[in-house]
Amino acid sequence: MVYQHVVRDMLNDLLEEQPQSALYIAQNSEHFDGLDGDYVNVSMLLSLPFTQRYDVACMVCGHEIDLHSVVRLRDLFAKAVIVVCHSGEQLRSLGFTQVVHQQEMQVWQFNILTYKHVPDWFNAKFWANPQNWDKFRW
């Protein structure tokens, strides 16, 4: 299947090292044959208890994306999330970035480690300036 190659390539590109734990979500597990990790059906994801945080989660969606499942993956279950779908423009508002755009498939990723870049002004240099105390009125 084409999804196997996409998932393997994305895991190698997304993470510097191989993930120790992975969660794969799809209607059927044939999309992820040969990959190590836990498999869950899309309908069972919302009822899955939170017992561990995975290094990566990969979700293969059809034409409809269940945003509640994607948010649950992003917030609870995984540090990095890959979503393979047909159309996922609504994922941009959840902090995902589009990696692959083809006519029949789009790949979106979310990585908490690279989600937000720290701006250069956000440091201790400009916050408390003891050298200016009693010199200027703020």
Side-chain angles (χ1 to χ4, degrees):
M1 300 269 326
V2 69
Y3 294 124
Q4 292 173 342
H5 302 294
V6 169
V7 171
R8 283 190 187 125
D9 293 342
M10 289 304 301
L11 290 178
N12 291 335
D13 293 342
L14 187 64
L15 304 171
E16 290 92 25
E17 57 196 39
Q18 289 288 43
Q20 298 297 320
S21 59
L23 178 66
Y24 302 106
I25 302 98
Q27 278 302 109
N28 51 15
S29 64
E30 71 182 23
H31 296 299
F32 306 114
D33 286 342
L35 296 175
D36 293 332
D38 297 334
Y39 303 100
V40 176
N41 192 327
V42 174
S43 60
M44 296 175 57
L45 180 63
L46 289 176
S47 63
L48 188 69
F50 177 65
T51 56
Q52 75 175 33
R53 187 160 173 89
Y54 295 90
D55 289 336
V56 67
C58 182
M59 183 176 198
V60 175
C61 303
H63 292 284
E64 287 290 320
I65 298 175
D66 184 12
L67 291 180
H68 295 292
S69 299
V70 174
V71 169
R72 187 169 170 90
L73 280 176
R74 182 196 66 180
D75 293 346
L76 288 179
F77 286 108
K79 297 176 190 172
V81 179
I82 299 171
V83 177
V84 181
C85 59
H86 291 285
S87 175
E89 285 298 320
Q90 65 269 30
L91 293 174
R92 191 176 311 277
S93 64
L94 297 176
F96 283 76
T97 55
Q98 189 174 13
V99 180
V100 175
H101 178 71
Q102 297 175 351
Q103 186 173 1
E104 69 278 355
M105 178 182 66
Q106 293 181 2
V107 178
W108 294 79
Q109 75 173 0
F110 177 85
N111 190 343
I112 193 65
L113 301 176
T114 61
Y115 166 67
K116 180 166 173 42
H117 299 286
V118 179
D120 59 348
W121 58 264
F122 191 61
N123 57 35
K125 180 179 176 184
F126 299 111
W127 289 95
N129 298 319
Q131 69 273 12
N132 291 333
W133 291 357
D134 297 329
K135 290 184 180 178
F136 301 105
R137 181 180 171 132
W138 295 352

